[in-house]
């Protein structure tokens, strides 16, 4: 509980109408897409970098935890107020400040919703590729904090590849500017890259300069059904070796196919053991040739059926199959543990076999799908935590999943970040000197550990 004198000081900064201490309101900021809950002491709704600067100066002086928050759609606990304190809600900072068509860039505030921004730039014939599954409600500030990806990153890259510069308020209340409006710039350390993906632990992003691309003229969507995950994986490798980089290369294994059989109008052959959803974009006259070439490449790898969308409606039907997986998972069990491991593309079938083994040995259902083009597998451990001993089974399964991932040369997080959920496993991937160098950076910028404490390094923060 914050002292009343602190509450009065915060009220002077943002105004009484732009803060709340009511428990019924604070509950909204106590959770994200994980199953954890932590209640903040106060939620603030600032509207400028200057207000955030004043908030952080006060919090730093009084040693009050501050947790930046966008839409709260993360899967790793990054926006949870694990130690109470201030939930810094950036929803009022939601303006698209500029779209510069000539230089193909935009300047936005962190609260802009990803899909709203995409639609705004596409109306100008421009394109912002990163497309996390949460794009309809996730904010660009959150995307920057987590370095969000999405299906299109196999061709276009992830959030960090589009951030030219940032305005950031440091944990001690300084307002700094990183990068700029140019495509090149090597003046000093690359603080922009340092901030992108730092999960709100090093600064609060208040302005984002974003690189844009020309909007592709057209796209073509294909669905290919395989009789094995190994065949689908080999098809992915050969498509890339064939010098074709699709916009998306999404896969579903047999476990995810089973949960969506009745979720769409599309019939799925009984022999289906894997599905690839492949999309290409670019000049319309080239797409037909690309699609034909892709179907030629995949043909030897146990193809059961192929479908090429003739129009937007058929494309939407294909994508509905992929989007139906997450909503359908609750058919299996009520509690979901969603991990986002990433392995080299060629290791996807080996990883799927490992996941099947872990599922059998531990005795928990595991549903798998994701971005085959970059080896990013969304692993969903589906359980009923009401069953005795189930949490212990989940813990064992997750640890075995991460060990298998690392053994195959992968990483325990491709796009969700570390947050709180993966903090206990950080040492499995990074050695002690590497973690200590990260902690040195954190302590240098945030000596009092007030900004998003308990994230990445765990609750103790190695203090």
């Amino acid at each position: 509980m914050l002292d009343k004198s602190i509450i009065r000081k915060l009220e002077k900064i943002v105004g009484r109408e732009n803060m709340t201490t009511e428990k019924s309101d604070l509950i909204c900021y106590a959770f994200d897409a994980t199953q954890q809950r932590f209640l903040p002491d106060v939620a603030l709704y600032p509207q400028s970098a200057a207000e955030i600067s004043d908030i952080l100066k006060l919090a730093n002086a009084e040693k009050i935890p501050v947790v930046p928050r966008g839409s709260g759609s993360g899967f790793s606990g990054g926006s949870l107020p694990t130690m109470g304190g201030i939930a810094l809600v950036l929803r009022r900072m939601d303006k698209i400040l500029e779209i510069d068509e000539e230089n193909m860039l935009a300047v936005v505030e962190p609260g802009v919703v990803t899909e709203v921004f995409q639609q705004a730039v596409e109306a100008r014939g421009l394109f912002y590729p990163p497309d996390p599954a949460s794009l309809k409600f996730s904010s660009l500030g959150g995307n920057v904090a987590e370095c969000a990806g999405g299906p299109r990153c196999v061709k276009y890259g992830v959030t960090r590849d589009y951030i030219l510069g940032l305005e950031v308020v440091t944990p001690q209340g300084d307002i700094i500017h990183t990068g700029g409006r140019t495509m090149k710039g090597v003046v000093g350390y690359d603080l922009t890259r340092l901030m992108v993906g730092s999960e709100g632990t090093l600064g609060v992003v208040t302005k984002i300069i974003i690189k844009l691309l020309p909007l592709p003229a057209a796209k073509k969507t294909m669905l290919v059904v395989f009789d094995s995950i190994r065949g689908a994986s080999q098809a992915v490798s050969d498509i890339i070796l064939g010098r074709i980089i699709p916009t998306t290369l999404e896969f579903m294994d047999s476990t995810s196919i089973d949960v969506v059989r009745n979720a769409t109008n599309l019939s799925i052959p009984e022999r289906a053991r894997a599905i690839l959803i492949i999309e290409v974009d670019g000049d319309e006259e080239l797409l037909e040739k690309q699609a034909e070439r892709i179907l030629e490449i995949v043909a030897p790898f146990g193809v059961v059926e192929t479908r090429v969308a003739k129009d937007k409606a058929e494309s939407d039907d294909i994508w509905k199959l992929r989007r139906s997986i997450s909503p359908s998972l609750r058919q299996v069990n009520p509690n979901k543990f969603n991990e986002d491991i990433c392995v080299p593309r060629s290791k996807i079938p080996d990883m799927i076999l490992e996941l099947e083994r872990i599922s059998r040995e531990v005795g928990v259902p595991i549903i798998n799908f994701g971005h085959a083009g970059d080896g990013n597998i969304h692993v969903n451990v589906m359980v009923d935590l009401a069953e005795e001993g189930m949490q212990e089974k989940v813990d064992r399964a997750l640890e075995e999943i991460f060990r298998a991932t690392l053994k195959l040369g992968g990483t325990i997080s491709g796009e969700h970040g570390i947050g709180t959920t993966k903090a206990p496993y950080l040492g499995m991937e990074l050695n002690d000197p590497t973690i200590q160098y990260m902690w040195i950076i954190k302590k240098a910028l945030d000596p009092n550990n007030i900004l998003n404490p308990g994230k990445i390094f765990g609750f103790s923060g190695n203090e």
Side-chain angles (χ1 to χ4, degrees):
M1 182 72 68
L2 294 182
D3 188 85
K4 290 182 180 179
S5 65
I6 299 295
I7 297 296
R8 286 194 294 270
K9 290 176 181 178
L10 293 170
E11 183 176 333
K12 287 182 180 179
I13 296 172
V14 297
R16 186 69 190 93
E17 69 279 11
N18 295 313
M19 63 183 294
T20 182
T21 56
E22 294 295 325
K23 185 175 181 180
S24 57
D25 296 327
L26 296 178
I27 288 172
C28 298
Y29 311 113
F31 62 91
D32 62 0
T34 68
Q35 299 176 57
Q36 303 178 80
R37 297 288 186 274
F38 299 92
L39 201 69
D41 296 301
V42 60
L44 305 179
Y45 314 108
Q47 199 170 24
S48 70
E51 289 181 356
I52 293 173
S53 173
D54 288 342
I55 292 166
L56 288 176
K57 286 176 182 176
L58 175 61
N60 197 58
E62 300 290 341
K63 312 295 190 298
I64 303 167
V66 179
V67 181
R69 187 178 176 94
S71 301
S73 57
F75 275 100
S76 64
S79 63
L80 297 178
T82 55
M83 300 179 187
I86 298 169
L88 194 68
V89 185
L90 302 175
R91 69 185 189 192
R92 294 177 67 217
M93 300 181 69
D94 62 351
K95 296 180 182 62
I96 299 174
L97 301 171
E98 179 185 0
I99 299 176
D100 182 342
E101 295 181 47
E102 185 175 9
N103 292 300
M104 290 199 296
L105 62 82
V107 183
V108 304
E109 292 182 325
V112 176
V113 172
T114 309
E115 186 179 57
V116 170
F117 177 66
Q118 289 178 332
Q119 291 172 346
V121 300
E122 287 174 16
R124 308 278 194 97
L126 297 170
F127 184 41
Y128 177 65
D131 59 336
S134 58
L135 63 89
K136 291 184 179 296
F137 44 86
S138 67
S139 65
L140 289 171
N143 292 175
V144 169
E146 300 296 332
C147 192
R152 292 195 294 231
C153 68
V154 59
K155 178 175 181 178
Y156 289 108
V158 295
T159 299
R160 65 169 169 255
D161 300 308
Y162 295 87
I163 306 305
L164 295 174
L166 299 168
E167 178 182 80
V168 180
V169 183
T170 72
Q172 298 179 72
D174 296 321
I175 300 174
I176 66 171
H177 297 87
T178 76
R181 300 171 66 98
T182 58
M183 295 298 121
K184 295 179 179 178
V186 289
V187 179
Y189 296 131
D190 191 345
L191 297 180
T192 304
R193 285 274 178 139
L194 177 63
M195 292 295 170
V196 177
S198 63
E199 303 188 36
T201 63
L202 301 180
V204 180
V205 171
T206 52
K207 196 176 293 181
I208 311 166
I209 305 173
I210 298 174
K211 177 179 75 173
L212 302 173
L213 300 177
L215 181 66
K219 65 181 180 180
K220 185 174 285 290
T221 310
M222 296 163 277
L223 182 144
V224 185
V225 181
F226 295 83
D227 61 11
S228 73
I229 189 68
R230 191 165 291 279
S233 179
Q234 188 60 54
V236 169
S237 296
D238 278 34
I239 289 169
I240 303 298
L241 285 172
R243 303 297 186 266
I244 299 173
I245 306 296
T247 314
T248 61
L249 255 175
E250 295 290 287
F251 86 95
M252 300 165 56
D253 78 349
S254 59
T255 61
S256 60
I257 292 171
D258 288 342
V259 301
V260 297
R261 283 191 181 277
N262 300 317
T264 72
N265 295 325
L266 292 175
S267 61
I268 304 173
E270 288 299 321
R271 291 172 55 207
R273 293 296 176 268
I275 286 174
L276 291 182
I277 297 174
I278 309 167
E279 197 163 82
V280 291
D281 65 9
D283 294 335
E284 197 157 4
E285 60 268 23
L286 297 177
L287 294 187
E288 200 66 43
K289 291 182 179 179
Q290 277 197 329
E292 290 175 2
R293 179 62 185 139
I294 287 171
L295 295 180
E296 288 175 5
I297 289 172
V298 306
F301 301 114
V303 172
V304 175
E305 181 178 293
T306 61
R307 301 176 194 178
V308 180
K310 297 182 179 66
D311 52 32
K312 184 179 184 300
E314 290 189 6
S315 175
D316 289 345
D317 282 343
I318 290 174
W319 278 108
K320 185 178 179 182
L321 188 68
R322 167 66 171 81
R323 290 193 296 266
S324 297
I325 301 174
S326 287
S328 301
L329 290 176
R330 304 296 179 185
Q331 300 171 16
V332 180
N333 268 318
N335 302 116
K336 176 172 73 171
F337 291 81
N338 182 327
E339 303 301 335
D340 67 319
I341 61 170
C342 193
V343 296
R345 281 190 296 262
S346 63
K347 299 296 184 181
I348 290 176
D350 300 311
M351 191 67 225
I352 295 297
L353 288 175
E354 283 294 294
L355 292 168
E356 290 174 353
R357 175 189 64 78
I358 294 167
S359 177
R360 286 193 308 271
E361 291 183 1
V362 179
V364 292
I366 301 179
I367 317 297
N368 309 295
F369 60 94
H371 316 315
D374 54 23
N376 191 183
I377 305 173
H378 290 285
V379 178
N380 298 270
V381 180
M382 302 301 303
V383 299
D384 185 350
L385 289 176
E387 295 181 21
E388 187 176 353
M390 187 54 69
Q391 184 62 60
E392 289 76 12
K393 285 188 175 183
V394 170
D395 294 341
R396 178 187 164 195
L398 294 181
E399 184 167 344
E400 290 201 26
I401 288 167
F402 295 147
R403 289 196 186 283
T405 300
L406 295 169
K407 188 175 180 180
L408 291 172
T411 177
I412 65 174
S413 183
E415 54 189 7
H416 291 170
I418 296 299
T420 59
T421 60
K422 289 191 177 75
Y425 308 102
L426 187 67
M428 291 176 64
E429 180 164 342
L430 305 178
N431 66 11
D432 286 344
T434 303
I435 295 172
Q436 286 303 316
Y437 267 92
M438 291 182 176
W439 183 242
I440 287 167
I441 293 170
K442 167 67 171 171
K443 289 291 286 183
L445 297 179
D446 185 9
N448 291 317
N449 193 25
I450 61 129
L451 194 54
N452 216 4
K455 312 303 165 59
I456 302 178
F457 304 102
F459 287 102
S460 68
N462 288 350
E463 292 178 291

